[in-house]
Amino acid sequence: MVQVSNLGKTQPKIDTKNKHLIIGAGFVGLGMAQALQAANIPYHQVDASDDIGGNWYHGVYQTAHIISSRRITQFTHFPMPEDYPDFPSSQQMRDYLNAFADRFELRQHIELNRSVSYVRPIENNLWEVTFADGEQRIYKGILLCNGHHWSKRFPELKGEFNGEIIHSKDYKKPEQLLGKRVLVIGGGNSACDIAAEAARVALKSVLSMRESVWFIPKTFAGIPTADLIKWWMPQWYQRLMAYGIIRLTFGNHANYGLAKPNYRIFEKHPTLNNEVPYYIKHGRIIPKPAVEQLKGDEVEFVDRTSEKFDLIVCATGYHVSYPFLPPELQRVSGAVVKCYAGAFLDDYKGLYYIGWGQARGGVGSLMAAYAPLFARYLQLQDQINVPLGLVFKEMGQKLPTTHLSDPQQIFRQLKLANLFFNLVARKAAHIDSKYPNFSNLPLLPLSANN
């Protein structure tokens, strides 16, 4: 998590221009740090929190468990303990990430309680980083690994509500729901987890969804559903298999008083949950359509029904956000960062947007495959003057149009990228020769923009 704070008195700049800076020490940031260390690429790492772990440290509720399986969530070169269940808890995930940092001796390069206030390109293709306490450092490049589960997105709700409204990130323990009439807004994994928790301890649990979602069971025939998907399966085959599993496990939506979803599976981030259908059948979760308006103690829904509530939990997601970047480097469009090959700009070198996408599970295994390739790209960037994003652009790559991705397709693409890396390097040298005078455009310091 990265916070923006007011600047204090500016301190002398520390020359670190031979190093990269990793912003964020969560799952992605730690994976990138280990890959840079293995490739002997000098770096520093900072995080605004007082401990490592990212969202697993500061963001999730006590009863959270991973939705993808242990096998695909773990770093492939650092397996989780054998006594971990298929779906480890939040505490087990924190313990695992701490063990990962210790195993690869990453802590010596991590500075905690270090909020970044501003990042800007300066002369000679270097990057100036200003911290919340006013300290400034100059780095060779910046790896943006600050996560996308911290900038809360709230729905626009008409009217006034007499009770309490919180975001799902503010939900930490079941006691917050105990004995209350609870409305959960959303259809994703956090929404369903909290609605199921409310079904157990609250006076009432209502789940409001603008549209129905596909509930994918976490296991099928005793096997984590995510583990059934293999690297060779095209997405159409995965989709067909998922439809079959859903039908055999839950039946159809009409059995639960829900409309059939108006999108195909995997066109949105999947909701893996067995409990919501179960509790709907037991009358412990009441499904409702979208909220129409708030009316004091009541909430009116678009079907013109009304219910009384004490607490509204908005499990409505997060913004992809880089608040420490100047406007010229704000490349976010909705949930998509407009960069090439998942991380690279075509007009600036040394700034890398990492981990902003939403793959269907498997963050550890994906990072284990991607981070070493990224380290090779950093070494290639040292050999050319133009940004790698420009190389990928001229090789025919397109900017992304969605934040969703199929992890099996990513694995296949990464294998090809490693196989043809030398070809990319030769192409990069050729493209570099076409732009002998390229240089990053320096941007003004923060004080000049105020």
Side-chain angles (χ1 to χ4, degrees):
M1 180 177 72
V2 176
Q3 301 169 340
V4 179
S5 304
N6 293 327
L7 298 180
K9 183 179 179 181
T10 300
Q11 301 175 0
K13 297 180 182 179
I14 296 177
D15 184 3
T16 51
K17 58 177 175 290
N18 66 321
K19 300 179 184 291
H20 287 81
L21 177 67
I22 301 174
I23 300 178
F27 219 128
V28 171
L30 292 173
M32 296 305 300
Q34 191 269 319
L36 265 60
Q37 181 192 76
N40 294 314
I41 298 175
Y43 74 93
H44 281 165
Q45 187 167 18
V46 298
D47 195 283
S49 297
D50 61 0
D51 203 351
I52 67 170
N55 194 50
W56 286 108
Y57 171 64
H58 61 67
V60 298
Y61 32 94
Q62 291 178 356
T63 55
H65 288 251
I66 64 171
I67 59 171
S68 55
S69 74
R70 177 186 73 177
R71 184 182 68 83
I72 67 172
T73 302
Q74 66 192 5
F75 294 108
T76 51
H77 56 298
F78 187 74
M80 292 186 188
E82 285 295 326
D83 61 352
Y84 271 28
D86 284 330
F87 303 101
S89 68
S90 57
Q91 182 60 57
Q92 288 171 321
M93 291 302 298
R94 289 195 292 275
D95 292 344
Y96 171 70
L97 291 174
N98 275 279
F100 180 83
D102 291 338
R103 165 63 181 80
F104 295 103
E105 300 180 349
L106 303 179
R107 294 183 191 275
Q108 60 183 317
H109 299 295
I110 301 174
E111 297 177 57
L112 299 172
N113 295 306
R114 294 294 278 159
S115 298
V116 174
S117 292
Y118 199 58
V119 173
R120 72 178 182 110
I122 59 174
E123 293 76 14
N124 300 317
N125 296 318
L126 296 171
W127 293 83
E128 178 189 84
V129 178
T130 303
F131 295 95
D133 61 1
E135 180 185 359
Q136 292 181 317
R137 299 178 189 172
I138 297 175
Y139 285 98
K140 181 179 186 177
I142 311 293
L143 281 65
L144 305 176
C145 304
N146 58 302
H148 50 75
H149 288 107
W150 61 273
S151 181
K152 307 169 194 174
R153 183 172 62 207
F154 280 92
E156 294 183 5
L157 300 173
K158 296 183 295 184
E160 299 291 334
F161 181 61
N162 293 339
E164 183 182 9
I165 301 177
I166 65 172
H167 193 273
S168 57
K169 190 172 180 65
D170 302 313
Y171 171 70
K172 299 300 180 184
K173 53 189 178 180
E175 287 78 5
Q176 292 174 256
L177 313 173
L178 186 62
K180 296 180 180 179
R181 298 166 294 185
V182 179
L183 169 64
V184 181
I185 300 175
N189 292 289
S190 294
C192 291
D193 279 354
I194 297 170
E197 197 81 83
R200 288 185 284 271
V201 304
L203 188 63
K204 176 168 64 176
S205 176
V206 174
L207 180 61
S208 168
M209 298 180 286
R210 285 183 300 178
E211 59 183 15
S212 291
V213 301
W214 294 102
F215 294 107
I216 302 175
K218 294 183 77 170
T219 63
F220 183 71
I223 301 173
T225 305
D227 289 358
L228 297 172
I229 299 175
K230 307 302 180 185
W231 70 268
W232 54 266
M233 293 180 178
Q235 184 159 282
W236 67 265
Y237 186 91
Q238 297 177 44
R239 182 177 286 122
L240 183 64
M241 184 170 65
Y243 282 132
I245 289 172
I246 291 170
R247 191 60 181 264
L248 290 171
T249 305
F250 298 130
N252 58 55
H253 282 70
N255 295 337
Y256 303 89
L258 299 171
K260 182 179 178 180
N262 59 8
Y263 64 94
R264 296 189 302 167
I265 291 178
F266 305 147
E267 288 182 348
K268 294 187 177 181
H269 195 61
T271 300
L272 279 81
N273 189 280
N274 296 69
E275 293 186 303
V276 168
Y278 173 86
Y279 281 122
I280 288 176
K281 280 296 187 182
H282 287 73
R284 295 295 301 161
I285 291 179
I286 303 169
K288 286 286 185 178
V291 171
E292 175 66 29
Q293 61 178 325
L294 310 178
K295 302 171 69 175
D297 295 329
E298 295 187 344
V299 175
E300 181 182 331
F301 301 92
V302 294
D303 63 358
R304 299 304 177 188
T305 62
S306 297
E307 299 269 356
K308 290 186 176 181
F309 296 101
D310 305 299
L311 172 66
I312 298 175
V313 182
C314 300
T316 44
Y318 301 86
H319 300 285
V320 178
S321 183
Y322 303 100
F324 43 78
L325 293 181
E328 294 88 345
L329 298 174
Q330 295 291 344
R331 304 301 171 89
V332 180
S333 176
V336 177
V337 179
K338 297 295 187 178
C339 55
Y340 292 91
F344 304 92
L345 299 180
D346 65 327
D347 55 345
Y348 278 91
K349 59 186 291 187
L351 186 67
Y352 311 102
Y353 302 74
I354 301 170
W356 57 270
Q358 287 273 357
R360 294 197 307 274
V363 59
S365 56
L366 285 169
M367 286 306 302
Y370 174 73
L373 176 63
F374 179 84
R376 295 183 73 184
Y377 283 144
L378 281 190
Q379 292 167 333
L380 175 59
Q381 181 66 84
D382 282 346
Q383 300 170 25
I384 60 174
N385 190 47
V386 298
L388 270 173
L390 181 59
V391 172
F392 293 125
K393 179 180 180 180
E394 296 217 356
M395 289 178 64
Q397 288 199 20
K398 305 296 183 183
L399 290 173
T401 58
T402 178
H403 65 297
L404 302 174
S405 58
D406 171 16
Q408 306 309 323
Q409 183 180 16
I410 294 176
F411 285 131
R412 293 192 293 269
Q413 291 172 342
L414 292 176
K415 288 180 180 179
L416 289 173
N418 277 299
L419 183 62
F420 294 103
F421 185 86
N422 290 336
L423 175 62
V424 173
R426 289 196 295 271
K427 288 279 189 181
H430 173 70
I431 294 169
D432 188 50
S433 66
K434 296 164 55 179
Y435 302 91
N437 299 317
F438 175 84
S439 180
N440 284 347
L441 177 66
L443 297 176
L444 294 174
L446 182 59
S447 58
N449 290 322
N450 289 340

